[in-house]
Amino acid sequence: MNINSLRLKEKLLKRAARVSVIGQGYIGLPLALLLANSGFKVTGYDVNSELVKELSRGETRLENETGVRDLLMKNLGVNYFPTSDPRELMESDVVIIAVPTPKRDGFIDLSMLLHALKLSLSSVKRGGLVVVESTLPPKSFENLVLSEIAKFGMRIGGDIFASYCPERAMPGKLIEELVRSYRVIGAVDEDSAELSKALYESFVEGEIEVTDPLTAEIVKLVENSYRDVNIAFANEVARVCEVLGADVRRVRELANKHPRVSMLMPGIGVGGSCLTKDPLFLYWIAKDMGYPPELISLARRINQSMPYHYAELIDEFVRSKKSGKGVVSILGLTYKGDVPDTRESPAGNLVRELIRRGHLVKVYDPIVSEHFGAQYFREFEEAVKGADVVVIASDHSEFKKLDLRKLRALAGEDPVLLFDGKLLLDADEAEASGFIYASVGNIASLINIVSRKLSKVGEIISNIPE
Ligand code: SAJ
């Protein structure tokens, strides 16, 4: 190790290094708090001054994430200092970048990352460490991070150390996963690897693997592509069961008894900010480099088609019941249960498509007040009143305990369809309560009602708005 890295390593081991985290969102805030809790003085920077004011008052938008509030209360003003003033980052020993790298209209928006990178390089001390946690498309550590370092006239391994350490924490379990999950560090040289390892070892209990930045970039995207492809397989089986008149729940249960089969849960769609973009990052870059990974692309399209397919099914049901618009109540708007996050939620596409088809859409969610352009109701009873169709679109715990008789009494005139988009409810109980019950992967009850053949995935995809 050279003299600069030895000095920084010692500071890291003694918790004497000054650490800054750029981006105080889903990943940056928990990360900053865990580092502060392990003894570092941590500056948590965000461009959003409103967010910083909230944090400075001890308030967090991650209230549902176990441990975040407690860590904030314990470390605020002691080891954790939120700020929106970039000058407070000056002379940091370590800067970690945790800003979004979103997809926008078919391209990867790295502008926030670039801005954060420039800020890091102008604030970090000579001989300091810059770590990128934001998800990167392959090759961007080399093409963007290293080239920016060169533009700043800095020399890797002397003036600065750098690594890519992609975040991998699941919303709903952020603190637990940041602490327990294994980490992959993609470092440019041995010193950067050692320093990054020493930094993460301060709070990570899982294994820490060191590799090169390109491998780390691919690993992060492969993990989420793997999950997306596997969910797409479950969704494809659900569609197969629908046309064959079978029940995917039973098919899955029995298939999963096989020692080498582990089918995921089909559902009304795949949402969240990670699975909806990471597979596309891998697809776009690999395609540019000469190989288009079609399986990954097709899986994305299958998952994206799900809410449109069910909007079509619901529309068919309503049209068989009455002429004109129907009342459709959507229960649950978040991309998954018990997490107050509606980013890329399939419920959003379902709502918008039903509105486009001319229906009156009413929505209710116990933990968010998003509406996606529909009528929002704070009270569950109001949201389901007079419904021709009730849809379960998120797997909130509250919905598992729904009083189906009460729900039926509140909904509209017979027939009322209860559509279970997350396979939460018991079919027999729903039918005994007076509903026509159908779910993802089981639409046998609608066979005589829905006469027309439903669109194929390909047809739906070509009609999905950009
Ligand atoms: N879903 C299904 N069926 C399933 C599992 C999930 O339809 O069997 C749906 C969910 O309802 C949701 C979507 O998929 O709409 C994504 O949910 P998720 O729980 O699978 O994943 P995320 O997006 O919350 O977090 C993922 C995780 N990645 C993997 O499991 C490989 C998490 O570990 C990552 O840290 C996170 O992405 C990230 O930040 O990249």
Side-chain angles (χ1 to χ4, degrees):
M1 285 187 107
N2 77 25
I3 185 73
N4 283 342
S5 60
L6 278 172
R7 238 183 249 144
L8 182 53
K9 184 156 183 205
E10 202 176 312
K11 272 182 149 185
L12 286 167
L13 295 177
K14 287 186 180 155
R15 307 289 190 262
R18 248 202 75 207
V19 180
S20 294
V21 180
I22 301 184
Q24 290 298 281
Y26 283 91
I27 296 298
L29 176 64
L31 177 66
L33 292 174
L34 286 167
L35 286 163
N37 203 52
S38 77
F40 291 107
K41 294 274 182 256
V42 181
T43 304
Y45 171 83
D46 203 290
V47 282
N48 182 346
S49 53
E50 232 5 84
L51 173 72
V52 169
K53 274 185 207 150
E54 289 168 19
L55 290 170
S56 309
R57 291 195 297 264
E59 295 164 15
T60 167
R61 298 180 187 184
L62 303 181
E63 203 59 62
N64 76 307
E65 292 288 348
T66 310
V68 171
R69 204 185 135 65
D70 291 349
L71 284 171
L72 178 63
M73 295 321 285
K74 187 175 158 204
N75 292 286
L76 184 64
V78 181
N79 275 350
Y80 172 66
F81 307 92
T83 183
S84 51
D85 181 352
R87 287 170 301 185
E88 291 185 32
L89 302 178
M90 289 311 287
E91 294 297 294
S92 300
D93 293 295
V94 177
V95 183
I96 306 175
I97 300 174
V99 296
T101 49
K103 99 176 140 54
R104 286 197 212 288
D105 306 327
F107 83 100
I108 306 165
D109 181 357
L110 297 175
S111 59
M112 282 177 269
L113 176 81
L114 193 58
H115 183 263
L117 188 57
K118 288 184 170 151
L119 184 57
S120 312
L121 297 175
S122 51
S123 327
V124 73
K125 263 187 198 161
R126 188 165 188 277
L129 171 70
V130 171
V131 179
V132 178
E133 280 235 4
S134 311
T135 300
L136 294 179
K139 296 265 183 200
S140 38
F141 194 85
E142 184 185 335
N143 295 339
L144 200 130
V145 180
L146 295 186
S147 83
E148 204 56 35
I149 289 174
K151 279 188 207 156
F152 266 70
M154 292 168 149
R155 196 176 46 85
I156 284 278
D159 302 326
I160 193 152
F161 303 95
S163 68
Y164 174 52
C165 185
E167 58 86 3
R168 50 157 58 67
M170 190 177 248
K173 295 182 182 170
L174 287 179
I175 295 289
E176 184 192 325
E177 293 220 332
L178 280 169
V179 173
R180 301 248 164 84
S181 293
Y182 84 106
R183 299 293 297 226
V184 173
I185 293 173
V188 272
D189 59 5
E190 273 179 29
D191 285 354
S192 302
E194 280 265 319
L195 294 171
S196 307
K197 215 167 168 222
L199 175 73
Y200 283 96
E201 272 170 356
S202 67
F203 69 91
V204 172
E205 290 170 12
E207 220 177 304
I208 300 182
E209 291 279 356
V210 175
T211 183
D212 59 277
L214 177 64
T215 303
E217 286 169 336
I218 299 173
V219 166
K220 164 72 194 186
L221 301 181
V222 163
E223 289 168 354
N224 281 346
S225 303
Y226 176 88
R227 191 150 174 87
D228 201 43
V229 166
N230 279 283
I231 299 171
F233 178 75
N235 286 340
E236 181 128 286
V237 174
R239 296 288 306 269
V240 168
C241 289
E242 288 174 14
V243 292
L244 295 180
D247 179 358
V248 75
R249 259 193 274 202
R250 186 72 178 134
V251 168
R252 175 176 178 268
E253 183 187 296
L254 297 180
N256 278 352
K257 287 190 186 288
H258 186 285
R260 285 175 296 283
V261 174
S262 179
M263 192 176 135
L264 290 178
M265 280 298 277
I268 201 153
V270 169
S273 73
C274 306
L275 267 56
T276 53
K277 78 175 168 88
D278 291 2
L280 293 176
F281 282 13
L282 198 55
Y283 175 76
W284 288 331
I285 303 296
K287 187 173 172 218
D288 270 4
M289 302 299 287
Y291 175 74
E294 297 297 354
L295 176 63
I296 290 173
S297 166
L298 179 60
R300 197 74 295 282
R301 285 181 280 143
I302 289 172
N303 289 338
Q304 219 195 334
S305 75
M306 297 304 272
Y308 296 93
H309 163 61
Y310 294 112
E312 188 180 17
L313 185 78
I314 290 163
D315 184 51
E316 283 279 300
F317 171 80
V318 174
R319 284 178 202 289
S320 74
K321 177 177 172 179
K322 55 161 87 145
S323 59
K325 66 179 174 187
V327 179
V328 184
S329 300
I330 311 281
L331 304 183
L333 299 166
T334 61
Y335 86 92
K336 65 177 181 182
D338 302 329
V339 169
D341 188 340
T342 56
R343 288 177 297 169
E344 308 287 336
S345 174
N349 288 335
L350 181 70
V351 167
R352 285 186 285 262
E353 180 63 11
L354 287 166
I355 293 174
R356 193 186 70 77
R357 287 171 180 261
H359 300 293
L360 172 67
V361 182
K362 300 163 84 179
V363 297
Y364 165 80
D365 192 291
I367 56 173
V368 292
S369 53
E370 174 63 80
H371 53 72
F372 296 119
Q375 284 186 11
Y376 168 78
F377 292 89
R378 202 170 292 280
E379 299 303 324
F380 164 82
E381 286 79 3
E382 289 302 313
V384 297
K385 207 177 267 177
D388 296 302
V389 183
V390 178
V391 183
I392 308 289
S394 296
D395 41 355
H396 290 310
S397 313
E398 180 178 312
F399 298 156
K400 293 176 193 156
K401 301 173 281 187
L402 272 182
D403 180 341
L404 297 183
R405 288 191 185 275
K406 182 179 163 198
L407 178 61
R408 179 62 200 91
L410 288 163
E413 284 172 16
D414 269 338
V416 176
L417 171 63
L418 176 56
F419 186 78
D420 189 350
K422 296 303 287 182
L423 306 184
L424 282 193
L425 306 174
D426 182 78
D428 293 340
E429 193 194 334
E431 273 160 14
S433 306
F435 285 106
I436 293 181
Y437 175 86
S439 71
V440 166
N442 181 7
I443 59 169
S445 59
L446 298 178
I447 232 69
N448 297 323
I449 298 168
V450 182
S451 51
R452 195 169 61 79
K453 262 198 149 183
L454 292 166
S455 311
K456 298 190 196 94
V457 168
E459 290 160 20
I460 296 175
I461 290 294
S462 56
N463 289 322
I464 292 178
E466 285 296 314

